[in-house]
Amino acid sequence: MNDVGDLTVEGDIGVLTLNSPPVNALSAPVREAIHEGIKQAIADDKVKAIVLICDGRTFIAGADITEFGKAPSGPSLFDAQDMIENAPKPVIAAIHGTALGGGLEVALTCHYRVAVPSAKCGLPEVNLGLLPGAGGTQRLPRIVGAQKALEMMTAGTHVGAKQCLEMGLVDELAEEGKLRDGAIAFAKKVLSENRPLVKIREQNDKVEADRGKPEIFENFRKANARKFRGFLAPEYNIQCIEAAVNLPFEEGIKVEQKLFRELVTGTQSAAQRHVFFAERQVWKLPDVPKDTPIIPVERVGIIGAGTMGGGIAMNFLNSGIPVTIVETKQEALDRGVATIRKNYENSAKKGRFSMDEVEKRMGLLTPTLKMEDLGTADLIIEAVFENMDVKKDVFGKLDKIAKDGAILATNTSALNIDEIATAVKRPEAVIGLHFFSPANVMKLLEVVRADKTSKSVIATSMQIAKKIGKVAALVGVCPGFVGNRLLAQRQREAQKLIMEGAMPWDVDRVLYDFGLPMGPFAMSDLAGLDIGWNKEKSKGETLRDRLCEMDRRGQKTGAGYYDYDEKRNATPSPVVEKMILDYAAEKGINRRQISDEEILERCIYPMVNEGAKILEEGKAIRASDIDIVWIYGYGFPRYRGGPMFYGDTVGLDKVLGKMKEFQSQMGDDFKPSALLEKLVAEGKGFKDL
Ligand code: T1G
């Protein structure tokens, strides 16, 4: 047997232990160890029952995702599973950590399952744009029924062991930390009680009970249509469960295999697997060593109790970290604190937590009008008005108040942090923590390192980001950092397109169908067209000025680029259509027919190109970080992998070709980045960087 498997015999129980860090994924060596180990145990007359257990932090956490797309080697997963299921001796899976995907599918071919209470089980393949491809779609419904299988497989839930016991997914809970002994004792019980070799594939009562009830599936599809929009995998998972209910096991497996092959060779799963690894890579900082000293953050200070300041504060209160929040006027302070309380009370009303929890979190909040009260804070985040002089004034004062070693962070979304850092004597303590609105909801945090920011401050900021449940990307100082810098490319082209021939609702439809949650014009109407608009100075120069002058400021005034009914449902506006035609005529623009394809290419390709410039300038560590920023900060569809991965999927040669074509027609807004030119010349993609 190879070195990831170890078979020991204790009395009449054979214990096959797998050990393949980090998560005992079903790589070729692990499949081989299972196949050979079970085979040996079957052949050993002393062995009456077999326990399959894993060393390390978890039971098998699924197929080895890094093997997808590579030539298969060693025994297949089905071979290993057949060895288990058809064993003439009882095989018991002993589960700790997470039995996920192929790992749970292996456990479901065992005759019994024992787990420790902290264990979790699930079939989360849908998160990788896949479905359980080793019999899980046919075995899970036979244990938990169609409805539960639908919920588990389309949400990719990790279900706790206690609930698994209630659902019949596991047969017994072992004492925490005593799994091996518990599993061996259970195996002995199976032998002494002469229990049968339970093959889940032969258990049909649950699926038969759901047969002839197509409404189960229709209702589920309807209820989740919005959530599943654009994704292929959820529907394919549903079709497999329908097959489990309506077809014999072997026929169901054929449906599963056919749909699995379609997904695993498709672009959506490739994109979602890319995101899986990108979410793990984003935390790795090549030039910040793992042993970089971390600054303990036990108290946080927030300057500004407005929408951003309040939302930022909630992240820390949610994590049990006391917050002192400062405002200049009592009224603003009271309003800010009241908003935080109202948000919590709304969550309590929705049953997310109790009113006691509301009071506990509010109890950690200290409102003050005195900046001096921030003298004990380990991390201070400034969230005041976006003006350089105001920011520098605040940082100048902070420098005199904050204790030695405190981190001085700014929530600016656009201003130059190197410039802000000139206002203090300790620029190494200055960093950007760019939260996205609403800050207590949006997962993304752009951690912006300035020229002099110390590695301790960077490492601590990334760690605190993880602690408050954010996905953080380390980026450099440049206009708009990463997220907004790419957004500016799209917004520019969107504005140009509605002048040249498209309408706002055309651009929005194309980007919505592409998978974005909302198009740029609907987004502007939601945010308000008058952000940064100055009524006194407005002279109707831009279309937006004219809309605001007509009090078409977006959803809040019932009209913007769209007209809105009382339920805020949007309809294309004939008023705006006429305004655009008039405005274009006024500017002497000959409008033309613009295809959906051109709209998409002109909105997305300049983003890819700008991402390449960001990498050239070293303002992002890797292309996949840019993908994470846009997926978590701007709703870029996961099944497209992010703008950079999408560029690779389309082919950078096509992106470059189109950029050059547009450049020749419309100028240097489309000037290709040197990196893009270089990668195409070398026949490479961002993935090769
Ligand atoms: N394959 C390869 N590598 C994996 C892996 C996997 N399945 N799971 C984790 N890793 C790596 C990961 O990249 C990281 O590497 C390290 O392990 C620690 O992971 C036929 C088709 C198990 C809950 O979807 O959800 O089975 O960054 O940082 O936070 O039906 O990893 O250190 O180099 O996430 O403690 C289905 C995926 C596969 C589960 C642990 N299984 N994994 O979380 O650690 S498809 C999954 C997870 C399948 C079959 C199908 C989590 C975890 P590195 P980590 P963690």
Side-chain angles (χ1 to χ4, degrees):
M1 180 148 45
N2 61 26
D3 56 11
V4 299
D6 173 43
L7 179 64
T8 56
V9 181
E10 296 181 22
D12 55 4
I13 308 297
V15 180
L16 174 58
T17 306
L18 304 174
N19 187 13
S20 177
V23 294
N24 291 304
L26 288 158
S27 60
V30 170
R31 296 193 305 268
E32 190 184 314
I34 295 172
H35 191 269
E36 290 315 304
I38 298 289
K39 198 170 164 188
Q40 278 179 29
I42 290 170
D44 185 334
D45 293 341
K46 290 196 301 305
V47 173
K48 303 293 183 254
I50 306 163
V51 168
L52 174 63
I53 192 166
C54 292
D55 270 351
R57 63 173 159 178
T58 181
F59 188 76
I60 303 164
D64 186 335
I65 306 170
T66 62
E67 282 190 354
F68 287 139
K70 295 181 183 144
S73 66
S76 75
L77 184 48
F78 278 110
D79 295 340
Q81 289 175 296
D82 290 348
M83 186 61 75
I84 293 172
E85 192 168 53
N86 303 326
K89 307 173 179 182
V91 182
I92 291 96
I95 300 170
H96 76 292
T98 51
L100 300 175
L104 181 57
E105 292 174 296
V106 165
L108 293 178
T109 55
C110 295
H111 306 111
Y112 296 95
R113 286 149 295 283
V114 172
V116 286
S118 62
K120 292 195 169 135
C121 299
L123 294 176
E125 283 86 345
V126 73
N127 298 334
L128 299 168
L130 295 170
L131 53 86
T137 70
Q138 303 307 301
R139 289 190 174 86
L140 184 70
R142 281 174 162 73
I143 300 177
V144 304
Q147 185 64 36
K148 200 71 203 149
L150 285 168
E151 291 158 10
M152 280 180 68
M153 286 165 55
T154 59
T157 332
H158 298 185
V159 181
K162 287 198 186 69
Q163 207 189 338
C164 291
L165 183 69
E166 285 150 20
M167 292 196 294
L169 256 181
V170 302
D171 300 283
E172 184 165 291
L173 296 187
E175 195 184 329
E176 198 64 53
K178 294 219 169 67
L179 176 61
R180 189 187 175 85
D181 299 346
I184 291 172
F186 183 84
K188 289 182 184 305
K189 194 160 58 179
V190 167
L191 292 172
S192 64
E193 295 170 7
N194 201 16
R195 291 198 195 180
L197 302 179
V198 180
K199 294 184 181 181
I200 294 172
R201 60 185 294 151
E202 294 163 359
Q203 297 192 332
N204 295 315
D205 53 346
K206 282 272 171 64
V207 287
E208 281 160 5
D210 291 330
R211 200 160 291 163
K213 298 179 185 162
E215 67 278 7
I216 295 174
F217 301 98
E218 291 331 308
N219 296 345
F220 189 82
R221 283 185 174 99
K222 261 201 227 92
N224 293 282
R226 213 174 125 84
K227 191 170 121 196
F228 296 160
R229 185 177 79 91
F231 290 91
L232 276 178
E235 173 54 28
Y236 280 29
N237 276 265
I238 295 169
Q239 290 178 20
C240 288
I241 300 167
E242 278 177 313
V245 165
N246 300 323
L247 299 173
F249 182 83
E250 281 308 336
E251 293 307 307
I253 286 286
K254 288 195 188 119
V255 172
E256 174 195 281
Q257 290 309 295
K258 175 177 168 300
L259 297 178
F260 179 79
R261 272 193 299 280
E262 243 184 80
L263 291 176
V264 80
T265 53
T267 55
Q268 288 208 356
S269 179
Q272 289 176 259
R273 294 191 317 256
H274 161 76
V275 176
F276 175 86
F277 289 112
E279 284 164 336
R280 284 151 182 81
Q281 288 295 314
V282 76
W283 299 99
K284 298 180 178 163
L285 315 178
D287 71 333
V288 180
K290 280 207 172 70
D291 60 359
T292 300
I294 297 294
I295 301 159
V297 175
E298 277 138 25
R299 282 201 72 77
V300 169
I302 310 265
I303 305 174
T307 311
M308 289 309 291
I312 294 169
M314 290 175 73
N315 289 297
F316 295 95
L317 300 174
N318 298 351
S319 310
I321 299 173
V323 173
T324 301
I325 194 162
V326 183
E327 255 300 349
T328 50
K329 296 194 180 59
Q330 190 62 47
E331 188 227 339
L333 188 61
D334 296 344
R335 192 173 48 242
V337 172
T339 304
I340 294 174
R341 172 173 286 283
K342 194 161 109 312
N343 286 339
Y344 280 140
E345 286 173 352
N346 286 345
S347 299
K349 280 197 202 102
K350 292 183 188 134
R352 293 211 190 108
F353 43 73
S354 67
M355 277 310 290
D356 292 354
E357 182 61 22
V358 173
E359 294 314 324
K360 183 163 155 263
R361 296 183 190 192
M362 291 308 291
L364 292 169
L365 182 65
T366 308
T368 180
L369 296 175
K370 291 188 291 159
M371 184 98 96
E372 298 70 38
D373 292 349
L374 299 179
T376 58
D378 307 297
L379 163 64
I380 301 167
I381 306 174
E382 158 280 311
V384 300
F385 189 62
E386 278 283 52
N387 172 285
M388 184 56 84
D389 296 338
V390 174
K391 302 271 187 197
K392 290 173 83 170
D393 175 58
V394 167
F395 271 74
K397 290 191 180 104
L398 261 185
D399 201 19
K400 300 187 182 63
I401 294 163
K403 68 179 187 182
D404 288 349
I407 297 175
L408 309 180
T410 170
N411 178 54
T412 181
S413 60
L415 298 176
N416 183 324
I417 300 172
D418 291 318
E419 175 67 21
I420 293 173
T422 61
V424 300
K425 294 188 187 58
R426 46 177 137 174
E428 72 285 355
V430 175
I431 194 164
L433 293 183
H434 178 213
F435 289 79
F436 287 73
S437 183
N440 56 312
V441 177
M442 293 298 287
K443 288 268 290 177
L444 179 69
L445 179 64
E446 279 185 324
V447 175
V448 190
R449 68 189 300 171
D451 287 351
K452 298 198 175 76
T453 307
S454 76
K455 293 188 174 168
S456 268
V457 168
I458 293 170
T460 304
S461 300
M462 294 296 280
Q463 199 183 80
I464 200 77
K466 198 173 256 185
K467 182 163 184 185
I468 62 174
K470 299 297 183 191
V471 173
L474 183 63
V475 300
V477 174
C478 58
F481 310 136
V482 166
N484 288 343
R485 185 169 165 181
L486 265 68
L487 181 67
Q489 295 295 314
R490 190 194 75 182
Q491 301 301 81
R492 180 200 64 226
E493 285 310 307
Q495 288 295 340
K496 286 162 59 181
L497 283 160
I498 64 169
M499 280 304 116
E500 294 167 28
M503 278 297 160
W505 29 94
D506 300 324
V507 176
D508 283 359
R509 172 180 47 74
V510 169
L511 292 175
Y512 180 78
D513 292 351
F514 177 75
L516 286 159
M518 193 180 269
F521 297 99
M523 196 159 95
S524 301
D525 276 359
L526 180 67
L529 302 184
D530 54 355
I531 294 176
W533 180 68
N534 184 323
K535 187 172 181 171
E536 282 66 43
K537 292 201 186 114
S538 184
K539 294 191 184 61
E541 273 141 29
T542 67
L543 182 66
R544 187 184 70 129
D545 289 341
R546 295 184 185 187
L547 288 166
C548 290
E549 287 162 13
M550 292 171 68
D551 201 29
R552 296 185 67 93
R553 302 182 196 194
Q555 285 194 15
K556 60 186 173 191
T557 58
Y561 287 103
Y562 294 84
D563 296 330
Y564 294 89
D565 65 17
E566 64 289 346
K567 292 204 185 76
R568 295 206 173 198
N569 297 319
T571 47
S573 166
V575 174
V576 173
E577 179 159 359
K578 181 164 180 335
M579 284 177 74
I580 291 173
L581 296 176
D582 295 350
Y583 189 89
E586 211 180 286
K587 302 290 177 192
I589 299 169
N590 295 329
R591 291 173 61 81
R592 59 185 172 87
Q593 200 56 37
I594 297 185
S595 68
D596 289 358
E597 192 186 10
E598 178 180 347
I599 290 173
L600 186 66
E601 290 171 343
R602 280 181 56 185
C603 286
I604 304 289
Y605 291 176
M607 291 171 64
V608 176
N609 188 54
E610 196 66 21
K613 288 183 187 170
I614 287 170
L615 293 170
E616 272 169 38
E617 298 161 19
K619 300 302 181 185
I621 296 169
R622 51 190 80 89
S624 63
D625 291 3
I626 299 173
D627 291 331
I628 290 296
V629 166
W630 258 73
I631 285 170
Y632 279 96
Y634 302 79
F636 200 95
R638 295 178 78 94
Y639 56 82
R640 297 195 190 277
M644 308 310 279
F645 184 86
Y646 178 70
D648 275 358
T649 306
V650 169
L652 295 188
D653 54 344
K654 180 166 181 214
V655 174
L656 179 63
K658 276 289 168 184
M659 289 296 285
K660 286 189 169 172
E661 182 190 321
F662 293 147
Q663 184 187 23
S664 65
Q665 297 158 355
M666 295 171 250
D668 281 349
D669 281 347
F670 297 95
K671 183 173 174 15
S673 80
L675 177 62
L676 184 59
E677 301 257 21
K678 181 172 174 290
L679 287 172
V680 170
E682 296 166 1
K684 290 181 176 164
F686 294 119
K687 65 184 181 317
D688 305 309
L689 288 174

